[in-house]
Amino acid sequence: MKIDDALKKTGGLPANSPAQARTEKAADKTEVASTPSHSVQISNLSTQLQGVQSAQAGSAVFATKKVEEIKLAISEGRFQVNSDKVADGLLDTVKDLLNSRKR
């Protein structure tokens, strides 16, 4: 394959170069961005949902007092694990995972 050095022979880039086309496209995009867009209104339901969300964000996901009691019981050696309850929880989790894959 022979490579022809057409740019040196013509004295530069052609008048309609890809770089020029990119510049023109960028200019078009800025014009589109400066035009006014549609207005948006938030419904009452949306406002209520935002209120519920902010109320939930302030509350703890878990009971901090209960966690502190468990930590203390573990550190004092009083905490006992109920293996039946742990096994049941594991089985339930595995069942849920298997059922979600079947869907």
Side-chain angles (χ1 to χ4, degrees):
M1 180 173 162
K2 191 173 185 181
I3 299 175
D4 185 21
D5 198 0
L7 290 178
K8 286 184 181 176
K9 290 179 184 176
T10 60
L13 293 174
N16 230 357
S17 71
Q20 185 180 7
R22 283 193 297 268
T23 306
E24 289 172 1
K25 286 181 183 177
D28 290 343
K29 287 182 182 177
T30 56
E31 290 176 16
V32 171
S34 64
T35 59
S37 62
H38 302 291
S39 63
V40 177
Q41 294 180 350
I42 298 176
S43 68
N44 290 335
L45 180 60
S46 175
T47 307
Q48 290 173 352
L49 288 173
Q50 287 175 343
V52 169
Q53 184 180 15
S54 62
Q56 285 181 343
S59 65
V61 176
F62 56 90
T64 309
K65 185 177 178 182
K66 178 91 171 171
V67 170
E68 291 302 320
E69 289 174 3
I70 292 172
K71 282 183 179 179
L72 182 62
I74 291 171
S75 66
E76 293 175 350
R78 296 183 290 113
F79 187 78
Q80 293 185 2
V81 177
N82 183 346
S83 58
D84 290 337
K85 192 171 184 179
V86 172
D88 289 341
L90 277 170
L91 289 173
D92 289 341
T93 302
V94 170
K95 287 177 186 175
D96 289 343
L97 288 171
L98 291 173
N99 286 335
S100 67
R101 285 190 175 181
K102 288 180 182 177
R103 294 178 192 166

